[in-house]
Amino acid sequence: MATLQQLADLVGGRIEGDPAQRISRVAPIDSAGEGEITFLSNPKYLPLLSGSAASAVIVAPGVAAAGRNLLVCANPYLAFARILTHLQSPPSRPAGIRPGAHVAESARCGEDVTIYPGCVVGEDVVIGSGTTLFPGVVVYDDVVIGKDCVLHAGSIVREQCRLGDRVILQPAAVIGSDGFGFAPDGPRYYKIPQVGIVVLEDDVEIGSCTCVDRATLGETRICRGTKLDNLVQIGHNVVVGEDTVMAGQAGIAGSSKIGRHCTFGGQAAVTGHIKVGDNVIIAGRGGVTNTIEGGEHPRMLSGFPTVPHKDWLKATMSFAKLPDMRKEIKKLQKQVEQLQAELKES
């Protein structure tokens, strides 16, 4: 529970209405009731506000709603996230190493670490203070995990990998599985040992069933603040720059380098051994086959192989017309052939 003024102070906003209004939780605009706050970040939802029973609304500057308690801030969506965290995501209490967890004697755990039953923590592992391992987490030997990390049920961190502070692994994420490396040996393949590691820097989040492969030699690195959705595949020796986001089923092939603050839509893919620069946006199902230069401003590309997004939109407008265009071209070809025959005769 908090007053509207307390929430405004939390997000750096200002109040229009009653600053003493008590707020217990955040709710959707169409179902919010007394004591609840909702948010309006998209103008198309403004008509829903008239029928909402919310006690307060988070809005951007310039939004008017007579008789409403408003929390006005420059970024309503960010304010919503921070208020939701404050009101409805209280920090969990440390519970120590629970019965049924197997932790090697050589492992070193910081203060306020929680390890639930069914976890296996290998030899010489280091776990920072405030970190939680939920049931079924497996941590191989010589792993280092930073402070205030959360490893959800069934996630796996293989040998010698390094996790920074505040890293989150969603259920069944796999960090440090073998890279896909095989040397042709006649009709067969010889497995190349994958002896490198994975490094996840601070504030990285890895989605459920996402795999980040260990390097063949050296390291695969996911830089600070990057967020990977569910079912993302990161190949061996890849580097993903800071604050990059990838939606579900995106894939980066081995040894490619991704810049800072990039965005990859669902099923977007990058072939191996190329570079994608800073601030590049790859639309869903986009396929990157050559190096893309970045810049200070966002650059959006689409299609396979990728082209500038506006060009791709123009091309897609023509797809439905292609059958008729094909017929028209054939008709024009016949007319040209007839004219050429007539010219020869004359």
Side-chain angles (χ1 to χ4, degrees), residues 3 68 73 81 304 323 325:
T3 66
R68 290 278 183 180
C73 52
F304 179 82
M325 292 171 64

Side-chain angles (χ1 to χ4, degrees), residues 24-326:
S24 62
R25 65 192 299 270
V26 183
I29 192 170
D30 56 350
S31 62
E34 181 66 28
E36 296 177 335
I37 189 170
T38 189
F39 73 102
L40 186 67
S41 62
N42 191 325
K44 73 178 184 179
Y45 295 115
L46 188 59
L48 296 176
L49 190 58
S50 61
S52 177
S55 293
V57 186
I58 307 166
V59 298
V63 175
R68 290 278 183 180
N69 293 319
L70 302 180
L71 196 169
V72 183
C73 52
N75 189 337
Y77 195 55
L78 178 60
F80 148 76
R82 288 178 171 167
I83 291 172
L84 184 63
T85 301
H86 179 73
L87 292 178
Q88 291 166 245
S89 297
S92 58
R93 296 179 179 178
I97 300 175
R98 306 288 295 276
H102 177 82
V103 180
E105 292 185 3
S106 60
R108 291 172 288 162
C109 299
E111 296 181 357
D112 297 332
V113 165
T114 299
I115 302 179
Y116 281 93
C119 291
V120 177
V121 177
E123 300 289 345
D124 299 309
V125 169
V126 177
I127 300 177
S129 61
T131 287
T132 298
L133 277 58
F134 282 97
V137 170
V138 177
V139 180
Y140 284 37
D141 296 346
D142 299 308
V143 167
V144 175
I145 300 173
K147 300 176 182 178
D148 299 316
C149 295
V150 178
L151 279 61
H152 284 286
S155 56
I156 297 172
V157 184
R158 277 191 49 183
E159 65 275 12
Q160 300 178 348
C161 291
R162 303 288 184 264
L163 278 59
D165 297 337
R166 298 173 301 281
V167 169
I168 298 174
L169 304 185
Q170 295 296 343
V174 179
I175 307 303
S177 52
D178 280 0
F180 194 69
F182 301 90
D185 181 14
R188 301 182 179 184
Y189 290 92
Y190 183 87
K191 181 176 177 61
I192 300 171
Q194 306 294 295
V195 299
I197 64 170
V198 172
V199 177
L200 306 183
E201 296 185 359
D202 296 347
D203 301 302
V204 165
E205 181 162 349
I206 307 295
S208 294
C209 299
T210 286
C211 297
V212 182
D213 289 351
R214 68 195 310 108
T216 306
L217 300 170
E219 63 183 36
T220 302
R221 179 174 289 266
I222 310 298
C223 295
R224 182 203 56 78
T226 285
K227 318 296 182 186
L228 306 183
D229 196 3
N230 304 334
L231 299 168
V232 171
Q233 166 63 33
I234 304 296
H236 60 82
N237 293 93
V238 166
V239 176
V240 180
E242 296 179 356
D243 297 311
T244 285
V245 293
M246 295 186 184
Q249 298 186 352
I252 311 298
S255 299
S256 286
K257 313 298 181 188
I258 310 301
R260 298 175 57 256
H261 206 264
C262 293
T263 301
F264 287 75
Q267 296 187 339
V270 176
T271 192
H273 301 273
I274 64 171
K275 181 180 179 181
V276 176
D278 298 342
N279 297 308
V280 171
I281 301 170
I282 306 297
R285 305 192 76 178
V288 181
T289 57
N290 292 292
T291 289
I292 297 174
E293 298 298 329
E296 295 183 7
H297 303 288
R299 180 186 179 195
M300 186 170 185
L301 300 103
S302 302
F304 179 82
T306 50
V307 295
H309 184 63
K310 289 184 178 179
D311 293 342
W312 176 250
L313 290 177
K314 292 176 183 177
T316 56
M317 292 175 66
S318 301
F319 288 163
K321 302 176 183 178
L322 287 177
D324 291 336
M325 292 171 64
R326 186 170 179 269

